[in-house]
Amino acid sequence: MTGAVLALDQGTSATKALVVAEDGAVLAEVDRPVTVRTPEPGAVEVDPGELLASVLDAGRAAVAAAGVNAGVVGLANQGETVLAWDPATGEALSQCVVWQDRRAVGVCESLRDVAGRLGEISGLPLDPYFSAPKMRWLRERVGAGGVVTTTDTWLLHRLTGEFVTDVATASRSMLLDLESGTWSDEAWELFGLTERRPRLAGNDEVVGTTGAFGAEAPVAGVIVDQQAALWAQRCRERGEAKCTYGTGAFLLVNTGDRPQRSEAGLTPSIAWQIAGQRRWCLDGQVYTVGKAVAWLRDVGLLGSAGELDELASTVDDTAGVVFVPSLAGLAAPHWQPGATGGFLGLNLAATRAHLARAVCLGIAAQVVDLVDAAAADLGGTVPRLRLDGGLTRSRTLVQLQADLLQAPVEVAAAPHATALGVADLALRGAAGRPLPDPRPGTVVEPSASPAWAAEQLGRWRSALEATRQFSGEGRVFPGRADS
């Protein structure tokens, strides 16, 4: 292989393209936004034409800025976002139904009698977050014809002509057998899906070639975004964990060379398959993190997303305000898709700065919930948590995360861990060698007392319970036994 790696991180609200030299230097970085629409409550959509254009535009601009050939192309995807499309022409037949979309709740309700069996097969709770319920919901609306897949399969088809997905992405669909890492005929039948099934590929496998970004180049390093970040953060051994703060926040912990079923409400999936060897992980999700900050901007509480840290750092407390960021339902460990978020404890002393700090604290508190669940599943404490993603630029959020955990956290030297993970896997697949080890991150120690952390977490959990009750839902889908 000659030339650098073009790593594409196709995310919810943007596509990031990095050109990475074989010595690990980032030669160019380009972002292209993607417009996320919410046409009705519970609906979250993206225009597929805009999604594809963001990939092509970001990749081409990054290659041009770097001034080198792309010797290999890698792609990270959103995991559970789906669409219908025509495999003969590659044309989209629907909008992209984003992983945050909740409209497949009715599909899940209709399958409650087989939820236990689906959980046995896939390891996952029956929830509209995962691919298969949205695939079934979309198939019922587009009618016969075409295929319904996750967006990675469509993008890879447009780039290479292949019909393929990777095993890590497939393991988040509810259609893969968690133990064998193969499609489950029974799960597909239970969901009533008769779709053509993509070929399953390893994460260091060359899946095809593309000339979309210049000279024809192999495509490898295809993986779901959160597992790419887990790999980039070098969480290679059982018990090592990372949390990525993007549109949502996602905690992943490596569980080793066999799948582990969660007793605490987390979701097991394949972390990666490299050189034919699989590793598994447990995953916990906070659906609205960066999206919650964007919502605050959209409703006028923030002038810009960057203002969050600027405001939050000007005060030492929240003036009694608590924020629950479940603006698109609750995932792990509660699994309450209809849950709502909110500010509680509002009072006349509260300013925008206090609300901004409450947002940071609420996000950090919900991540602590996930860390506690992971520790319960692993039979002890989780080792030092490694953080990445755009919101780690917020010093207030990172410090509050360490304070609430009462443990050090390590912030990645570069926030774009997902793209760097893709670049490493792509280079391994195309050239048989890895990128150099990344620079060590910055360690942030807790600065607050255990008593303060316990008090804040207690107040936040009371607020969480209040918003759950306000939503009018009990525990709709299988999840944590005490939810």
Side-chain angles (χ1 to χ4, degrees):
M1 187 198 86
T2 59
V5 182
L6 172 60
L8 299 163
D9 173 13
Q10 202 302 291
T12 310
S13 57
T15 296
K16 179 185 293 293
L18 254 61
V19 177
V20 185
E22 292 187 40
D23 65 1
V26 176
L27 304 179
E29 176 184 345
V30 173
D31 288 277
R32 291 290 184 266
V34 175
T35 304
V36 181
R37 300 175 180 86
T38 53
E40 59 182 280
V44 188
E45 297 179 346
V46 166
D47 178 78
E50 185 179 356
L51 192 77
L52 177 61
S54 74
V55 170
L56 297 175
D57 292 351
R60 289 165 181 168
V63 169
V68 297
N69 292 325
V72 58
V73 178
L75 176 69
N77 75 87
Q78 299 176 35
E80 303 83 11
T81 298
V82 305
L83 81 162
W85 55 282
D86 184 344
T89 65
E91 293 303 311
L93 301 175
S94 74
Q95 294 291 293
C96 298
V97 180
V98 176
W99 55 271
Q100 292 170 313
D101 193 286
R102 317 308 290 159
R103 288 175 291 181
V105 165
V107 170
C108 294
E109 287 282 14
S110 72
L111 294 171
R112 290 184 71 177
D113 290 347
V114 295
R117 179 57 187 151
L118 287 167
E120 290 175 7
I121 295 168
S122 68
L124 305 176
L126 183 58
D127 188 89
Y129 168 59
F130 300 107
S131 311
K134 291 194 289 290
M135 290 171 64
R136 165 75 178 271
W137 181 87
L138 194 53
R139 173 53 72 197
E140 290 173 351
R141 281 148 184 81
V142 299
V147 292
V148 181
T149 71
T150 45
T151 53
D152 64 310
T153 298
W154 178 63
L155 290 170
L156 289 168
H157 181 79
R158 295 298 298 255
L159 293 174
T160 70
E162 300 294 326
F163 191 68
V164 63
T165 190
D166 71 278
V167 290
T169 301
S171 71
R172 296 163 73 105
S173 67
M174 299 199 76
L175 298 171
L176 195 83
D177 186 295
L178 182 66
E179 306 288 338
S180 68
T182 59
W183 292 125
S184 165
D185 291 341
E186 184 181 357
W188 284 79
E189 183 178 343
L190 288 172
F191 274 104
L193 294 169
T194 58
E195 309 296 324
R196 177 185 169 194
R197 304 175 194 178
R199 179 176 71 83
L200 294 168
N203 301 113
D204 61 344
E205 184 177 332
V206 174
V207 300
T209 64
T210 185
F213 307 102
E216 198 75 13
V219 177
V222 176
I223 189 169
V224 64
D225 52 8
Q226 299 309 319
Q227 276 85 331
L230 188 71
W231 178 260
Q233 289 275 45
R234 301 188 65 76
C235 298
R236 312 287 170 84
E237 301 301 325
R238 176 177 167 82
E240 294 181 333
K242 71 88 193 173
C243 187
T244 300
Y245 302 77
T247 299
F250 298 88
L251 176 84
L252 268 66
V253 56
N254 189 321
T255 58
D257 58 4
R258 60 182 179 82
Q260 178 169 335
R261 309 277 174 151
S262 176
E263 298 296 327
L266 302 181
T267 58
S269 58
I270 293 173
W272 50 71
Q273 179 177 308
I274 299 172
Q277 301 299 309
R278 293 192 194 105
R279 302 283 288 192
W280 280 262
C281 62
L282 287 172
D283 183 4
Q285 314 84 13
V286 183
Y287 290 148
T288 45
V289 173
K291 186 63 175 176
V293 177
W295 173 79
L296 291 170
R297 179 202 62 208
D298 292 344
V299 299
L301 288 174
L302 291 176
S304 67
E307 194 179 357
L308 176 73
D309 197 53
E310 181 182 326
L311 276 173
S313 63
T314 64
V315 292
D316 295 327
D317 58 42
T318 67
V321 177
V322 181
F323 177 69
V324 179
S326 49
L327 304 180
L330 280 167
H334 308 285
W335 299 108
Q336 189 175 349
T340 54
F343 286 102
L344 285 82
L346 289 170
N347 60 82
L348 292 175
T351 66
R352 286 200 308 137
H354 293 112
L355 298 184
R357 190 173 185 87
V359 168
C360 292
L361 194 147
I363 290 168
Q366 197 155 352
V367 170
V368 171
D369 252 12
L370 301 178
V371 173
D372 287 349
D377 279 329
L378 293 173
T381 59
V382 174
R384 177 177 293 164
L385 188 62
R386 297 169 186 170
L387 313 182
D388 63 87
L391 272 182
T392 58
R393 295 186 179 96
S394 169
R395 291 175 295 177
T396 302
L397 173 61
V398 170
Q399 186 62 62
L400 286 170
Q401 192 67 81
D403 289 345
L404 291 180
L405 283 170
Q406 285 294 291
V409 296
E410 181 179 334
V411 184
H416 35 250
T418 293
L420 291 175
V422 168
D424 183 68
L425 292 170
L427 187 62
R428 288 170 185 263
R433 57 183 178 274
L435 291 173
D437 289 346
R439 302 194 314 276
T442 301
V443 176
V444 177
E445 300 280 350
S447 62
S449 70
W452 178 90
E455 179 186 359
Q456 297 302 315
L457 287 170
R459 294 182 71 247
W460 184 83
R461 286 168 179 151
S462 295
L464 172 66
E465 186 58 32
T467 59
R468 293 177 67 196
Q469 295 298 323
F470 181 79
S471 72
E473 287 194 10
R475 183 167 64 89
V476 179
F477 304 118
R480 192 174 179 179
D482 63 354
S483 311

